Amino acid sequence: MTGLTPRVIVVLGYSDRGEGVLHPICVERLEHAARIATEHDVVVLSGWARVPGTRSEAELMASAWTGQARELVVDPDARTTVGNATNAVDDVLRTKATEVIVVTSRWHAPRSAVAFRWRLRGSGATVVTTVPRGPGRFRDWLRELPCWVLLPFQLVAKRR
């Protein structure tokens, strides 16, 4: 962080399938974000409620947040990685952040970086990803493959 310009740390949710508890992958992401966040950062917790009438991933993360933050933003509307990035644009512009740190999983980081960089192009903010330790499961890496095919269409459809 430079001077008083805050970083925006975006923590991407991971579905609990409507069970009302944080999925272990989401817990790892949240704990990792809490370790790197400072009192100057704006932390965005992002993720929807898969089952109507249940708490969103973002709300569950907010209840479990133990880190520091200048401001904690709860984004319960983002349903996709592109949605996470699109919704974070307002927070980045509002705070005049020059650095955006996306907290996700190792297998999800490359696609997240592309989505956030695309949505934040022209904003002057740099985007980096950071991940909790651990390589992830092979099936998670495989699940990412079709998401890459959809990514260009999602980016075009989510124009603001």
Side-chain angles (χ1 to χ4, degrees):
M1 186 176 74
T2 310
L4 296 177
T5 305
R7 301 183 302 183
V8 172
I9 299 175
V10 183
V11 187
L12 303 184
Y14 190 91
S15 178
D16 69 347
R17 304 275 183 209
E19 296 172 7
V21 295
L22 285 175
H23 189 283
I25 289 174
C26 196
V27 170
E28 288 176 353
R29 293 174 181 181
L30 189 64
E31 289 174 350
H32 183 67
R35 283 191 296 275
I36 65 169
T38 72
E39 64 188 20
H40 304 289
D41 296 325
V42 173
V43 176
V44 178
L45 307 172
S46 187
W48 65 305
R50 183 177 292 270
V51 176
T54 62
R55 294 175 70 200
S56 69
E57 298 160 19
E59 293 164 327
L60 292 170
M61 286 191 285
S63 294
W65 179 253
T66 60
Q68 299 179 8
R70 181 183 93 184
E71 178 184 354
L72 198 61
V73 177
V74 178
D75 171 20
D77 300 322
R79 298 173 61 128
T80 65
T81 303
V82 172
N84 297 127
T86 300
N87 293 356
V89 169
D90 290 337
D91 296 307
V92 173
L93 296 177
R94 176 179 56 81
T95 62
K96 298 178 176 46
T98 56
E99 182 179 16
V100 178
I101 301 172
V102 181
V103 180
T104 189
S105 300
R106 186 169 310 283
W107 44 267
H108 186 240
R111 186 166 56 90
S112 299
V114 169
F116 275 79
R117 287 180 183 133
W118 179 264
R119 294 302 302 139
L120 289 165
R121 70 192 184 285
S123 71
T126 60
V127 175
V128 296
T129 58
T130 184
V131 300
R133 292 184 184 162
R137 300 173 306 210
F138 182 70
R139 70 179 180 168
D140 294 327
W141 288 95
L142 281 178
R143 193 184 78 179
E144 276 296 291
L145 293 177
C147 296
W148 277 99
V149 173
L150 295 174
L151 183 61
F153 302 103
Q154 291 174 328
L155 289 169
V156 169
K158 275 285 190 185
R159 287 188 183 168
R160 269 188 140 166

